[in-house]
Amino acid sequence: MGGCNLACRWCDTPYTWDWTGVGDSGVAYRPRDELHPMAWREVLERLRAYEVPMIVVSGGEPLSQQARLLPLLRALIDTGHRVEIESNGTVVPLPELAGLGVRFNISPKLAHSGDEEERRLVPEALAALAAVPGTAFKFVCRTRDDLDEVASIVDRYGTTPVWIMPEGQTPHEVDRHIAALGDDVVARGWNLTTRLHVAVWGDRRGV
């Protein structure tokens, strides 16, 4: 999905929203090149052609367009697909969406994203998402200090279960950060995951 209400400096999909070059790459993408409106029925047919059991909706920020997503998601679920939505956790989900049985993978942003706290942490949205069964919270981290910030967010907003993912655009960066974080993540009783798409394809698009 295109468009985002945040502007994380290290975002790995800046081409979905960064029209001014505020990200770490400094590249200003052109929406006319990157965004292509499509009817939901056309999207449905393309997704069904992959013949996979699960569809993950990512962005950008998908919940900014959640009303438009509803017919597509209903159709996917009706045809037997499992559906997951990745979100930054700043938008309250519509009751109709929360009731569909989709899984929410929520990634609240930390201070190193460059976004102001009042923009990246929205209490009513986090509470609503935490109340949906099966929701998981993933935090992108670089250092042990980031884990302290995660703990503070968990204490304030009840954002569990916790998954920690290392930040990085290259396999080397991911390896370095996960090595720095691993022991502390395990000691806190949280879950640790890598960035499989970066490990396999680096920062290549369209994979």
Side-chain angles (χ1 to χ4, degrees):
M1 307 290 289
C4 191
N5 58 342
L6 297 181
C8 300
R9 302 302 184 259
W10 42 257
C11 179
D12 59 3
T13 55
Y15 47 85
T16 65
W17 62 268
D18 190 357
W19 318 135
T20 60
V22 299
D24 284 345
S25 69
V27 176
Y29 296 89
R30 301 200 312 169
R32 70 178 67 179
D33 295 334
E34 305 294 344
L35 303 184
H36 309 286
M38 295 174 61
W40 71 264
R41 288 183 176 84
E42 181 181 354
V43 177
L44 175 64
E45 291 310 309
R46 289 196 181 193
L47 294 176
R48 291 181 64 184
Y50 287 118
E51 298 183 345
V52 295
M54 184 176 74
I55 301 296
V56 179
V57 184
S58 188
E61 175 46 55
L63 292 188
S64 294
Q65 303 183 57
Q66 57 181 318
R68 296 176 182 175
L69 275 174
L70 278 171
L72 172 63
L73 301 186
R74 288 193 186 105
L76 286 169
I77 290 169
D78 287 346
T79 53
H81 292 83
R82 289 179 289 125
V83 176
E84 298 189 359
I85 296 177
E86 296 186 345
S87 169
N88 60 31
T90 61
V91 181
V92 176
L94 294 171
E96 304 95 308
L97 181 59
L100 280 180
V102 303
R103 173 188 166 101
F104 289 100
N105 298 320
I106 306 303
S107 183
K109 305 310 177 193
L110 305 181
H112 61 57
S113 69
D115 294 296
E116 297 177 357
E117 182 170 332
E118 57 267 27
R119 292 184 60 207
R120 58 185 169 82
L121 297 177
V122 180
E124 57 269 31
L126 293 173
L129 290 159
V132 179
T135 297
F137 292 88
K138 176 193 73 180
F139 297 85
V140 176
C141 297
R142 294 172 171 171
T143 69
R144 295 177 182 177
D145 289 342
D146 294 338
L147 300 181
D148 292 335
E149 187 178 353
V150 171
S152 175
I153 293 171
V154 173
D155 288 343
R156 279 184 285 168
Y157 304 114
T159 48
T160 60
V162 174
W163 288 82
I164 301 299
M165 174 181 282
E167 190 273 329
Q169 306 295 327
T170 67
H172 174 72
E173 290 174 335
V174 170
D175 290 347
R176 177 161 51 87
H177 291 148
I178 201 169
L181 298 167
D183 288 344
D184 280 3
V185 172
V186 172
R188 293 172 188 260
W190 295 340
N191 302 286
L192 182 66
T193 182
T194 186
R195 302 174 73 85
L196 183 60
H197 60 293
V198 174
V200 177
W201 295 289
D203 61 356
R204 191 171 62 174
R205 292 176 55 174
V207 295

